[in-house]
Amino acid sequence: MVDVIAKATNNLNPTDILFQTPYWAQVKSQMGMAPMAFDILSSETWGDVLVLVKDHCGHKLALVPQGPEHAPAEDSYGQYLEDLSLALADRLEPDVAFIRYDLPWKSLYAEEMHEQGWSAFPEPRIREMRMNMGTRYWNLKKSSTDMTVASSLVVDLDGSEDNILARMKPKTRYNIGLAQRKGVTVHMADSDSLADFYGLYVQTARRNGFIPCSMQQFSAMFHCKFGNKDGTNIIFLLTRHGRDILSGAIIGISGQCANFLYGASGNIKRNYMASSLMHWTGMRIARQRGCLTYEMGAVSPTPDDAHPFNGLHRFKAGFGGRIELRSGSWDYPLNEGAYRSIQNAEALYRELGA
C-alpha cells in the first residue's frame, strides 16, 4: 500500500530531475498553477513528489511532472500508480478531474524495442492492458500525448573532453570545428537577452510547425530563486557571428543532470553549424558544474524517415549519446464524466492544431 503526507514544496528532496524541484514549483506557480508536495510512504519505493494543480479544458488536472522519481519493480508499475493515485485523491480538492503522471521510469517495452528495432511504442490499448495488470480498478489510461518525451537522447559526460568528442560521430565533430572556423562564438547570456532568444524561438516554431510557449514561461524561469540544496540552475547560451545571433539554448541543471529545455535557431547562416558548437559548449559547461549527463530530449526511438522526430534523431545521435525509452504520460481519472469531456476537448485541440 501507499500513503502520502503533505509538506511544503521548499522541502522537496534533492533530485536530478529539474521538474521535481522547489525551483520548478516556483516557476509553475508564476504560471498560475498551484504546487503541492508530498512525502511517499510505501514498502515498494520511497521519496517524494511534486504535484501541480492547473485548469485544463474547463476542469482541474493534477499534473505530476516527471514523477515520481523512484520506480517500483516493473511488474508493480500499475499497482503502485493505482495506490499512489488513491492516496493523492484523498489530499486533493474534490474538483480535480484526474491525475496525469509524466513518468520518468524505464518503459516496459524498452528491451524489446532496443533488441527488435521498433520505431514506435505499442498502441495505447496494448500498453494499458499491461500497465493495469494486477490493479484493482483497471483505471490507468495512456494519455493521448506525452507531456515531455518518452524517447530521449542522453549524452554521458564522463571522461575527458577528448573522450566525449571521441564518442561523437565524425560528422558532428567536423561541424563543431566548422562553426569555430567560420568565426561562430558562444556566449553566456542573462535575462536581458530573452527577447533576442524569443525572436529566434518563434522563427523555429514557425519553421518546424509547433506552437511556441509564451514569453511568460521564459521570464518565470529567470525570475525564480535557484536552490543551493538541490543544485538547480540555468545555462543560457546564445551563438553569434558578427552582429547576427544564430541560435540559442536554455539548459536546466538539477543535481548531476543537465537538461536541454528549449532551443532556437534563426533562418540565416544555417550552414555555419552554430547549433553543433552551442551544444558542445553546453556540455562542457555542464561538465564543469558537476553534471554527469546532458539530456538532449526528443528523438525517434530508431532512425525512421516516417517518424516526425527523425531529423532530431539524426542531429542528436551525432553527439554519441544513448536513447532512453521511458513510460510517458498516464492518466488516472477521478471523475469519469469530466475525464471523458476532457478527452473530447483534447482531441478537438489536436485536430485544430491548438
Side-chain angles (χ1 to χ4, degrees), residues 270-342:
R270 294 179 60 78
N271 60 330
Y272 282 31
M273 303 303 170
S275 292
S276 295
L277 180 59
M278 178 183 71
H279 277 294
W280 172 229
T281 303
M283 292 175 194
R284 294 174 62 207
I285 296 172
R287 181 174 168 276
Q288 290 164 7
R289 296 189 181 185
C291 292
L292 300 180
T293 57
Y294 181 90
E295 181 156 345
M296 299 189 74
V299 292
S300 54
T302 60
D304 179 2
D305 290 340
H307 197 287
F309 291 162
N310 189 57
L312 295 173
H313 186 288
R314 286 198 309 271
F315 173 72
K316 295 177 181 179
F319 289 90
R322 52 192 161 81
I323 295 175
E324 291 193 356
L325 301 173
R326 298 169 184 155
S327 294
S329 297
W330 289 81
D331 297 340
Y332 194 91
L334 303 177
N335 180 321
E336 289 291 344
Y339 183 67
R340 284 194 296 271
S341 174
I342 290 166

Side-chain angles (χ1 to χ4, degrees), residues 98-314:
F98 70 108
I99 303 169
R100 175 164 289 171
Y101 299 94
D102 187 41
L103 296 176
W105 306 344
K106 179 181 176 181
S107 170
L108 295 173
Y109 300 91
E111 302 301 333
E112 294 166 276
M113 292 178 71
H114 282 308
E115 291 171 4
Q116 301 182 32
W118 294 356
S119 60
F121 291 90
E123 63 178 285
R125 178 180 61 87
I126 300 298
R127 297 173 74 180
E128 288 177 359
M129 289 178 62
R130 187 167 180 178
M131 182 66 86
N132 280 287
M133 197 69 65
T135 63
R136 287 170 288 167
Y137 303 112
W138 209 266
N139 198 33
L140 289 160
K141 315 292 184 185
K142 181 67 189 74
S143 302
S144 54
T145 56
D146 291 318
M147 296 297 293
T148 50
V149 294
S151 49
S152 182
L153 196 289
V154 180
V155 177
D156 291 315
L157 301 180
D158 58 316
S160 67
E161 290 186 5
D162 286 343
N163 294 145
I164 300 169
L165 281 167
R167 293 194 290 264
M168 296 182 189
K169 293 183 178 179
K171 181 65 173 176
T172 300
R173 290 197 299 271
Y174 174 83
N175 287 340
I176 291 170
L178 174 65
Q180 293 170 324
R181 291 191 297 274
K182 289 280 190 180
V184 175
T185 56
V186 186
H187 304 270
M188 291 283 290
D190 57 29
S191 59
D192 291 340
S193 298
L194 274 177
D196 293 326
F197 174 84
Y198 194 72
L200 290 181
Y201 174 71
V202 171
Q203 287 183 41
T204 305
R206 289 172 181 163
R207 189 172 61 245
N208 295 325
F210 66 86
I211 298 172
C213 296
S214 69
M215 182 65 170
Q216 182 188 4
Q217 167 80 17
F218 298 114
S219 296
M221 292 174 63
F222 283 86
H223 291 96
C224 290
K225 184 179 180 181
F226 298 115
N228 293 324
K229 182 176 73 171
D230 51 21
T232 51
N233 214 322
I234 292 290
I235 300 170
F236 181 22
L237 301 177
L238 292 176
T239 66
R240 299 176 183 271
H241 184 266
R243 295 183 177 181
D244 298 320
I245 300 176
L246 305 187
S247 64
I250 296 177
I251 302 161
I253 289 180
S254 185
Q256 295 180 316
C257 179
N259 197 304
F260 172 55
L261 300 175
Y262 298 98
S265 59
N267 296 326
I268 62 170
K269 300 181 180 178
R270 294 179 60 78
N271 60 330
Y272 282 31
M273 303 303 170
S275 292
S276 295
L277 180 59
M278 178 183 71
H279 277 294
W280 172 229
T281 303
M283 292 175 194
R284 294 174 62 207
I285 296 172
R287 181 174 168 276
Q288 290 164 7
R289 296 189 181 185
C291 292
L292 300 180
T293 57
Y294 181 90
E295 181 156 345
M296 299 189 74
V299 292
S300 54
T302 60
D304 179 2
D305 290 340
H307 197 287
F309 291 162
N310 189 57
L312 295 173
H313 186 288
R314 286 198 309 271

Side-chain angles (χ1 to χ4, degrees), residues 79-93:
Q79 297 169 60
Y80 178 80
L81 281 179
E82 179 181 71
D83 288 345
L84 177 60
S85 299
L86 295 173
L88 288 172
D90 287 340
R91 309 298 193 276
L92 298 171
E93 295 296 325

Side-chain angles (χ1 to χ4, degrees), residues 49 54 64 191 244 332 352:
V49 67
K54 58 177 286 189
V64 183
S191 59
D244 298 320
Y332 194 91
L352 295 175

